[in-house]
Amino acid sequence: MMDHPKPWNPNYGVVGSGDRRLAFSRQLSSSSSTPRLARSDSSISMPPPLAPPGTTFRWLTTRPMRRLALLIALNVAYSATELAIGLLTGRVGLVSDAFHLTFGCGLLTFSLFAMAASRTKPDSLYTYGYKRLEVLAAFTNALFLLFLSFSLAVEALHAFMQDESEHKHYLIVSAVTNLLVNLLGVWFFRSYARVNIVYRKPEDMNYHSVCLHVLADSIRSAGLILASWFLTLGVENAEVLCLGIVSVAVFMLVLPLFKATGNILLQIAPGNMPPSALMKYCRQISACEDVSEVCQGRFWELVPGHAVGSLAIRVKSGGNCQTVLDYVHGLYQDLGIQDLTVQTDESGII
C-alpha cells in the first residue's frame, strides 16, 4: 500500500499529521479593548485589508504641509530667477547655486509627498502602511546634507589652494536673499530646530529633516555673507575659515538624524529597549516550566513609536501553550512591543 504524500506548507515545508506547530500573533490596537489573537495550524491568520488599494492622497491638509508647500514655491521661484540672471550675466557661481537650490527643492518635495502618502491606510500590498516613507524622506534629506557638508569642505580647500575668494563678492546678494527665504522656513519648523530630538512619531523625523535642511542652507548663506564681509576688511583666507566652520556645523547638526533614520531602515533593535532587557526576558521565558527553548527572537522599529517583534518558542510535550503565550505577551507589552508574533512548536522541530 502506497503512502499518501504529506501536505506541503510554504512556510514550514512538509507538514505531517503529528506536527502540532502553532503560530500566534497579537497586535495592540487603540481602537479595540481586546487584542487580536489568531490561532491556526502552521499558519498566521492575517486580518483583512483596512483600506482598498489606490486610496487617494489628500494634499495640504495640515499646517506643516501648507507651510512646506509655500517654502518650496518660494525656493523654486528664487532658484529660477537666480538661474536666469546667472545665464544672462555669465556668472558660473549663480548658475551652480541655482542648481543646488533646485536639487534641494526636489528633496523638500519628496518630504511633502511623504507627509501626504503616509496618511494613506494600509492595503493588501503595503500591509504595514506608508508611514516609513517619512523615515525614508528624512534619511534622504540627511544624506544630502552630509554631501553638502563634504562639498563645502572641498570648496574651502579649493579656495585655499587657488586663492579665488576675491572673485565671489557678487554672491553676497544671492546669499542674503537665500538667507531670508530659509529663515522663513526655520521659523515655520522652529519647534524642531534642535540637534537631538526624541522621535515619537515618523512625522517628527520628517519635520526635523526639513528644519535641518533649511537651517543648513541658512548657515551656509550666513557663512558666505561673513566671508564676504571679512574680505572687505582685509582678512586673509576668510572664505576658507567660514566655509570650514559651516561644513563642520552642518555635519554635526545632521549626523544624529542620519544615524536615527539609518538604524530604523536597517531594522536594528529599538533604541529605547536596551539589549540587556531583551536578553533578560528571553532567559525568563526559557526558565518557564512548559518552555523547552527560545530561539529566533527578532525585534525592530517599523517607525518611531511602533516596535515590532517575532519569537519562536519550543514548548515541552504536554505543555500549556496558552499559558506560555499569555506570559510572553505580557512581558513584551510591558517592554513596549506594540506588534508581537509568537510561534510555538510542540513537535520538537522548529
Side-chain angles (χ1 to χ4, degrees):
M1 182 175 180
M2 297 181 62
D3 296 334
H4 293 286
K6 296 180 180 180
W8 171 264
N9 186 291
N11 294 322
Y12 304 110
V14 177
V15 181
S17 59
D19 193 348
R20 300 174 58 200
R21 281 178 288 182
L22 303 173
F24 297 81
S25 176
R26 173 177 291 177
Q27 182 178 19
L28 301 183
S29 174
S30 58
S31 60
S32 174
S33 58
T34 58
R36 295 195 297 270
L37 183 64
R39 170 174 177 167
S40 62
D41 185 19
S42 299
S43 66
I44 299 177
S45 299
M46 298 296 296
L50 300 179
T55 305
T56 56
F57 300 149
R58 294 183 178 180
W59 292 89
L60 309 180
T61 55
T62 63
R63 177 178 292 182
M65 293 171 65
R66 291 192 294 269
R67 287 181 169 182
L68 182 55
L70 175 60
L71 182 63
I72 293 172
L74 291 175
N75 275 282
V76 169
Y78 170 67
S79 61
T81 304
E82 189 178 36
L83 178 62
I85 296 175
L87 292 175
L88 291 175
T89 60
R91 299 290 190 178
V92 179
L94 289 177
V95 175
S96 176
D97 191 61
F99 278 110
H100 162 78
L101 290 177
T102 302
F103 190 72
C105 289
L107 293 176
L108 293 179
T109 302
F110 180 49
S111 294
L112 179 62
F113 168 77
M115 292 179 189
S118 64
R119 301 168 67 85
T120 306
K121 294 182 179 180
D123 52 37
S124 57
L125 183 60
Y126 293 92
T127 55
Y128 274 114
Y130 296 79
K131 290 289 186 181
R132 256 200 177 184
L133 268 176
E134 302 231 48
V135 180
L136 181 61
F139 176 79
T140 306
N141 268 308
L143 188 61
F144 166 74
L145 294 177
L146 287 179
F147 276 112
L148 174 63
S149 172
F150 176 74
S151 67
L152 289 173
V154 172
E155 187 177 351
L157 180 62
H158 183 265
F160 175 75
M161 297 178 64
Q162 300 295 328
D163 192 21
E164 296 180 346
S165 300
E166 63 273 16
H167 299 294
K168 297 185 179 180
H169 289 297
Y170 62 87
L171 287 177
I172 184 65
V173 177
S174 172
V176 170
T177 308
N178 192 21
L179 177 61
L180 294 177
V181 173
N182 285 311
L183 285 179
L184 179 64
V186 174
W187 183 78
F188 281 163
F189 297 92
R190 58 189 179 277
S191 58
Y192 293 91
R194 291 171 288 168
V195 178
N196 292 311
I197 293 180
V198 178
Y199 304 109
R200 294 183 174 86
K201 298 179 296 182
E203 303 93 272
D204 293 339
M205 280 189 165
N206 201 4
Y207 296 162
H208 189 208
S209 71
V210 171
C211 182
L212 290 184
H213 188 122
V214 294
L215 185 60
D217 272 346
S218 300
I219 295 174
R220 172 177 172 269
S221 298
L224 292 175
I225 294 171
L226 285 176
S228 181
W229 181 53
F230 286 155
L231 285 173
T232 59
L233 297 177
V235 179
E236 295 183 359
N237 296 323
E239 187 177 8
V240 178
L241 177 63
C242 292
L243 289 180
I245 293 175
V246 169
S247 175
V248 174
V250 171
F251 181 83
M252 297 302 294
L253 278 174
V254 177
L255 189 59
L257 176 65
F258 179 76
K259 287 182 177 180
T261 53
N263 288 342
I264 289 181
L265 294 177
L266 290 175
Q267 297 189 169
I268 71 168
N272 59 342
M273 300 175 189
S276 58
L278 296 174
M279 296 297 297
K280 175 184 176 182
Y281 284 179
C282 284
R283 290 194 298 267
Q284 289 182 0
I285 297 172
S286 300
C288 291
E289 182 180 356
D290 294 334
V291 175
S292 173
E293 184 182 359
V294 178
C295 57
Q296 298 180 1
R298 300 182 178 94
F299 303 92
W300 68 96
E301 270 188 305
L302 179 67
V303 291
H306 189 156
V308 180
S310 64
L311 203 63
I313 298 177
R314 182 176 297 169
V315 181
K316 295 178 181 179
S317 179
N320 191 329
C321 289
Q322 188 59 50
T323 302
V324 173
L325 286 170
D326 291 339
Y327 178 71
V328 171
H329 281 294
L331 279 179
Y332 286 105
Q333 180 177 347
D334 294 338
L335 190 60
I337 303 294
Q338 286 86 358
D339 190 349
L340 178 65
T341 299
V342 181
Q343 175 187 323
T344 61
D345 178 13
E346 298 177 349
S347 64
I349 301 177
I350 292 185

